Amino acid sequence: METIIYFVRHAESPYIAGMEKSRGLSENGILHANEVKNILINQDIDYIISSPHERAIQTVQPLATELNASSLSLRGRSLRSLKAVKVRKYTDVRRI
């Protein structure tokens, strides 16, 4: 059984001082979040994991809604705190 992990960086979000965790997406970011949905909609996705930042959640929300996927938000944690994913070789990493 093969496990594929898709990493998605949050879509465009305007910088607002003091609102690092709560700032959402810009209008352009909302369009990009829908593009993410359109790109990944036909993949076999079981779980969507997001950082607790609002812009990250808003980026994957259209996909999660469309797939009716189980979702998990890492409240109180940064994805940077997760251990590195071991990649067997560079060709295992694909940009879509």
Side-chain angles (χ1 to χ4, degrees):
M1 180 172 149
E2 182 178 43
T3 299
I4 298 173
I5 300 173
Y6 299 96
F7 288 92
V8 177
R9 182 163 162 66
H10 66 78
E12 183 181 277
S13 176
Y15 175 75
I16 303 170
M19 296 184 66
E20 187 59 27
K21 290 185 178 181
S22 62
R23 63 186 163 104
L25 298 179
S26 65
E27 288 184 29
N28 199 36
I30 292 168
L31 293 173
H32 289 156
N34 282 299
E35 288 179 29
V36 167
K37 176 193 73 171
N38 293 336
I39 290 168
L40 295 176
I41 193 68
N42 293 316
Q43 304 305 313
D44 188 19
I45 295 175
D46 295 315
Y47 296 97
I48 297 173
I49 302 172
S50 172
S51 82
H53 296 278
E54 187 64 26
R55 62 191 180 274
I57 294 168
Q58 288 180 0
T59 299
V60 295
Q61 191 63 56
L63 178 64
T65 299
E66 187 75 23
L67 294 175
N68 196 22
S70 299
S71 61
L72 171 65
S73 179
L74 298 176
R75 300 280 176 204
R77 284 193 158 154
S78 167
L79 290 180
R80 291 184 183 117
S81 69
L82 298 178
K83 298 288 184 189
V85 175
K86 184 176 181 180
V87 177
R88 290 184 302 270
K89 54 190 174 206
Y90 182 74
T91 55
D92 290 344
V93 179
R94 294 175 294 223
R95 184 174 184 162
I96 60 170

